[in-house]
Amino acid sequence: MTTTTPQAVPTAATLRRPVQLPPEWSGIPLTVVMPTYNEAENLPGMAEKLMALDLPGLRLLVVDDNSPDGTGEVAERLAERYNEPDRTRISVLHRTAKDGLGRAYAAGMDQAVADGAQYVLQMDADGSHPVEYVPQMLGAALATGAGFVVGSRYVSGGRLAEEWGLHRRLLSRWANAYVSTVLRTGLRDVTAGFCMWRADTVTEMKLSEVRSNGYSFQVELKYQAVRAGYTGVEVPIHFEERQIGASKMNLAVQVESAVLPWRLRLDSARARRG
């Protein structure tokens, strides 16, 4: 297993320029899986930007956890607006309760592959993952044959949101360094949530068996993929600050994220002994 960073695109700023993929690449079936909980104000703008990309094979799957603000209904109206008689561009997976980011992603990613996606992209609804990078991530996946591609804040050219203060920047870097040191994945941004997965990688991961429920799902999935021998590449992105609404990060999620690396290491040690 190797992890590399494509050298042809050196900076996040360069990546944000419009890119035209060749037709045989732009038409590849790609599903963006976007979990939502109270994102009614953010979702229409994100959908509009995704639908405007020159990627005929792109679909958006909104996974809504019964949002009290009506996000699920907003998603259905967006599907009515953008879907065509012979082409589904937006679909909605309604879940009955708020059950954690990890389980929402697992359900959506499995559904995307079952519906024929060759690549699946994890993407937040709050605008922190800029839409402009989607074609470049798909291009990097196809050019390298990687099992997964990470939109990375911590490779050369990657940047955090300017709105983040020094304390938040240091905490983010420390958390990522901590997880990377414990798990030794070879990835510089193992905590990233902006990731593209090849369909066979998703199938191999057996997402229904992933135990992490919150943001640590991102870490567990990458760790399991690396251990299974899949190659990951990282491309630099400019991570944005959420514009509307509040972060879903809470104390329970932070505790889970801190404990997870050691639990994964312990599970691996037990597996080797067994």
Side-chain angles (χ1 to χ4, degrees), residues 24 26 28 32 38 41 82 87 90 94 112 117 127 140 144 151 173 180 200 205 208 213 220 225 238 245 249 254:
E24 62 271 23
S26 62
I28 292 289
V32 176
N38 288 348
E41 293 182 271
Y82 287 105
R87 180 185 176 198
I90 297 179
H94 294 279
T144 64
R173 286 188 176 275
S180 298
D200 64 299
M205 292 303 98
S208 62
N213 193 29
E220 182 169 357
H238 180 189
M249 181 73 72
Q254 294 177 40

Side-chain angles (χ1 to χ4, degrees), residues 99-245:
D99 194 30
L101 181 68
R103 291 191 174 92
Y105 262 130
M109 293 168 73
D110 278 340
Q111 183 66 56
V113 173
D115 288 344
Q118 292 184 26
Y119 285 89
V120 179
L121 177 65
Q122 296 175 268
M123 193 171 191
D124 289 349
D126 60 12
S128 57
H129 301 151
V131 171
E132 297 91 330
Y133 295 110
V134 176
Q136 290 85 353
M137 292 177 71
L138 178 59
L142 291 166
T144 64
F148 62 100
V149 175
V150 179
S152 178
R153 300 160 292 179
Y154 299 123
V155 293
S156 177
R159 289 191 294 164
L160 292 169
E162 283 82 359
E163 296 88 344
W164 281 25
L166 179 61
H167 174 75
R168 193 173 178 187
R169 288 172 177 270
L170 292 175
L171 181 61
S172 175
R173 286 188 176 275
W174 176 86
N176 193 76
Y178 161 73
V179 173
S180 298
T181 300
V182 174
L183 297 181
R184 301 169 188 167
T185 62
L187 297 168
R188 298 183 186 179
D189 198 352
V190 70
T191 62
F194 194 20
C195 302
M196 184 173 291
W197 300 85
R198 207 171 62 212
D200 64 299
T201 313
V202 174
T203 302
E204 178 68 23
M205 292 303 98
K206 298 181 175 61
L207 298 183
S208 62
E209 299 177 8
V210 174
R211 291 184 289 174
S212 301
N213 193 29
Y215 289 88
S216 56
F217 172 83
Q218 314 289 6
V219 174
E220 182 169 357
L221 201 56
K222 294 184 193 69
Y223 177 69
Q224 300 294 8
V226 168
R227 288 190 67 240
Y230 287 97
T231 298
V233 300
E234 297 183 82
V235 297
I237 68 162
H238 180 189
F239 183 83
E240 301 279 10
E241 178 63 288
R242 158 191 284 275
Q243 299 301 310
I244 303 173

